[in-house]
Amino acid sequence: MRILLIGEFSRLHNSLKEGLVALGHEVVIVANGDGFKNYPVDLSTKAKWCETPLGNIPRQIIYRLTNFDIATLEFGIRFYIHLNQLKNFDVVQLINEAPIQTIPKLERFLLKKIFKQNKKTFLLCCGVDYLVAKYLMEKKERYSIMNPYFENAKSKKEYQFILDFLSPNHKKTHDLVYQNIQGVIASDIDYLLPMQKHPKFLGMVPNPVNTSKFEFSEMEINAKIVIFLGINHGTYYTKGISFFEKALEILKQKMGDKIEIIIAENLPYQNYIYKYNQAHIILDQVYGFDQGYNALEAMAKGKVVFTGAEKEWKDYYKLTEKVAINALPDVDYLVSELVYLIENPDEIKEIGERARQFIEKEHNYIKIAQKYLEIWSL
């Protein structure tokens, strides 16, 4: 089977490709690499000209005057250049409703080409899109990534990308996509909840993780407990980073002699991984019900991860023991959980071992790839 994967924001499509290739399929990823993360792709739509010294000057001037990033236009142009190589695939999967990340009118033009020149198209719900944004704005869950938007005026700018999915212009893209896809697949509980009653929903398939790329070794705790916090300022509020920062400040005062804290900001993927490899505990996010990719990869390495691990997630996987710490937007709670782990280092080792076992059982990239193939064949 020939499979085209459009877009990449988290390494989901790369891991899925590795599973599909292992099963004997031909797979092509076309994407822009997602900025500083620079994920691997087969056909790149990276805004190379806009990133040169010559191109960056007009880019910055135009952005300051109009708030429009011309790099998005370059994404679309480069995708258009690849169009002849993006035809006659048995299956196309879009990472979200606007996977090319260009201006809306060009996005729709290019997507129409993709729909016309390939057989089947499926959509992934693994991030914010129109239906997810609508669900979040309606406050249907007890908390969500929108909490800071509703509670803190300083956070408004960070949430513009979510509000953009509710705009009339994007709604046109949403409608076009849903008119042309065979169905939509959710990647975790956070996206299962908004999608589960939609007529085109085909079910949840957990994120694939290639465990062969993440060596597990039992954690050694000889001196200090190492705690890692990665900060991407573009997701500072949506991940609830301030709760972790406040918790770490309290922890320093309480037991600074027992811990080492590593804080990394806006790092490329490879540098980020190098930093967190040194840690016992990873602080990921407080507003999720399930884990995103950073958390899953850390769990695969046997780290103890503070992330989404809510009751809905535990029930789905029928878990009776901790494989991650359910992080909540509550500083005192976070401090309490961290203190317990620091005072009980054997628990860190045990949770880390169970985390690895959980990833191997529920997120194995080849098993997950097989689940996608079954859905795509319906």
Side-chain angles (χ1 to χ4, degrees), residues 284-351:
D284 179 48
Q285 62 169 326
V286 304
Y287 289 122
F289 281 34
D290 198 338
Q291 302 91 56
Y293 239 88
N294 285 344
L296 293 173
E297 292 182 351
M299 290 165 69
K301 292 188 174 185
K303 310 295 184 185
V304 175
V305 187
F306 279 63
T307 186
E310 276 289 356
K311 182 181 184 300
E312 290 86 343
W313 166 79
K314 291 177 189 173
D315 291 346
Y316 182 89
Y317 289 107
K318 299 179 174 59
L319 293 169
T320 56
E321 294 183 292
K322 282 185 180 179
V323 300
I325 306 298
N326 186 33
L328 297 172
D330 180 331
V331 173
D332 292 338
Y333 164 82
L334 294 173
V335 171
S336 174
E337 291 289 321
L338 286 164
V339 167
Y340 174 78
L341 290 171
I342 293 162
E343 291 178 343
N344 296 274
D346 287 343
E347 185 73 3
I348 295 176
K349 292 181 181 180
E350 290 170 13
I351 293 173

Side-chain angles (χ1 to χ4, degrees), residues 95-107:
I95 200 80
N96 75 0
E97 293 173 343
I100 303 164
Q101 293 183 285
T102 189
I103 58 175
K105 195 168 184 179
L106 181 54
E107 184 93 32

Side-chain angles (χ1 to χ4, degrees), residues 182-327:
Q182 271 60 50
V184 58
I185 301 164
S187 65
D188 67 39
I189 299 294
D190 290 296
Y191 307 112
L192 167 66
L193 295 172
M195 292 302 308
Q196 55 191 345
K197 294 180 181 178
H198 195 280
K200 286 214 168 184
F201 183 53
L202 299 174
M204 178 177 128
V205 180
N207 285 301
V209 178
N210 185 346
T211 49
S212 67
K213 290 182 176 289
F214 303 101
E215 184 179 350
F216 172 79
S217 57
E218 185 177 320
M219 282 188 281
E220 293 184 10
I221 304 174
N222 299 319
K224 295 184 176 183
I225 306 294
V226 182
I227 304 170
F228 176 88
L229 174 62
I231 301 175
N232 174 354
H233 287 286
T235 56
Y236 182 86
Y237 291 103
T238 55
K239 287 187 175 288
I241 297 300
S242 64
F243 292 97
F244 289 134
E245 289 177 323
K246 290 170 186 173
L248 290 176
E249 284 300 318
I250 294 170
L251 210 60
K252 277 185 205 172
Q253 296 170 13
K254 280 193 170 189
M255 43 199 351
D257 58 328
K258 295 183 179 179
I259 60 172
E260 177 186 345
I261 296 169
I262 298 174
I263 295 179
E265 301 189 36
N266 284 8
L267 290 178
Y269 178 77
Q270 294 299 333
N271 294 6
Y272 178 93
I273 296 302
Y274 173 77
K275 289 282 188 182
Y276 91 37
N277 279 346
Q278 303 169 53
H280 302 105
I281 297 171
I282 307 292
L283 305 180
D284 179 48
Q285 62 169 326
V286 304
Y287 289 122
F289 281 34
D290 198 338
Q291 302 91 56
Y293 239 88
N294 285 344
L296 293 173
E297 292 182 351
M299 290 165 69
K301 292 188 174 185
K303 310 295 184 185
V304 175
V305 187
F306 279 63
T307 186
E310 276 289 356
K311 182 181 184 300
E312 290 86 343
W313 166 79
K314 291 177 189 173
D315 291 346
Y316 182 89
Y317 289 107
K318 299 179 174 59
L319 293 169
T320 56
E321 294 183 292
K322 282 185 180 179
V323 300
I325 306 298
N326 186 33

